[in-house]
Amino acid sequence: MNSDERMEEVLNKSGIQQIRKMPKFLTSTFVLGVVNGWEITVADMIQAIINAIRIIKANFDVNQEKYAETIKFLKACKAFYENKHPNQVQKKALHYVVDVFHEIEDMRAVSDEQKKENEKISLALDLLIDINVKEYCC
């Protein structure tokens, strides 16, 4: 199995049927991809970012560095989807994002098995960041 076939298999297992190539200018109706049959537009992504920021602000002390950096990263992502040029993000901020979303998922978990699965996913994401990101990204 070649790398393209492996990538297709991973995407299919995650429910992602399609990821679109990014144009130079994004519109709110541009479809970024298809997940479990649902077309995710730029507007959907911006709303998801806004919701994630609300969840963080409602549940955590945003004066702590990891929550502040996570919000800063999410705002940079939102700016990107709004065709703005956000500042680069430090590698450690990506680790904070993983940690914060891990905490959010653990709040939603109904069993220890789900929490263990969340931990495995977080560790894998942290490793992915360490392998692929230098000091700054995006």
Side-chain angles (χ1 to χ4, degrees):
M1 182 181 302
N2 68 33
S3 62
D4 289 339
E5 290 170 332
R6 281 194 298 272
M7 180 58 79
E8 186 175 332
E9 180 182 349
V10 169
L11 292 175
N12 287 334
K13 284 182 180 179
S14 67
I16 299 171
Q17 289 91 26
Q18 180 183 20
I19 297 175
R20 303 275 306 271
K21 188 173 180 179
M22 299 293 272
K24 290 186 185 272
F25 184 82
L26 293 169
T27 63
S28 63
T29 58
F30 178 77
V31 176
L32 296 165
V34 179
V35 178
N36 294 325
W38 178 41
E39 292 185 342
I40 299 176
T41 65
V42 168
D44 295 328
M45 191 64 75
I46 290 172
Q47 190 58 54
I49 292 167
I50 291 168
N51 291 341
I53 291 170
R54 284 183 187 149
I55 289 168
I56 293 166
K57 286 181 175 180
N59 291 285
F60 303 105
D61 177 4
V62 296
N63 293 317
Q64 289 185 23
E65 183 180 17
K66 77 175 177 179
Y67 304 112
E69 288 294 318
T70 299
I71 290 172
K72 185 175 163 184
F73 171 78
L74 291 169
K75 287 180 177 179
C77 292
K78 182 175 176 277
F80 170 81
Y81 287 116
E82 293 171 337
N83 296 301
K84 298 174 185 168
H85 300 285
N87 294 330
Q88 286 189 320
V89 177
Q90 289 186 348
K91 182 178 184 174
K92 73 176 183 174
L94 297 177
H95 287 293
Y96 288 150
V97 171
V98 171
D99 291 346
V100 171
F101 278 90
H102 180 195
E103 287 182 56
I104 292 168
E105 285 301 306
D106 276 355
M107 288 171 24
R108 298 171 11 129
V110 294
S111 68
D112 287 339
E113 290 80 29
Q114 282 182 324
K115 288 182 180 182
K116 286 179 186 174
E117 188 63 27
N118 292 343
E119 181 69 20
K120 285 197 291 190
I121 293 168
S122 293
L123 290 172
L125 290 171
D126 279 332
L127 180 60
L128 179 73
I129 291 165
D130 287 337
I131 291 171
N132 292 291
V133 178
K134 297 192 182 197
E135 189 177 342
Y136 291 91
C137 79
C138 316

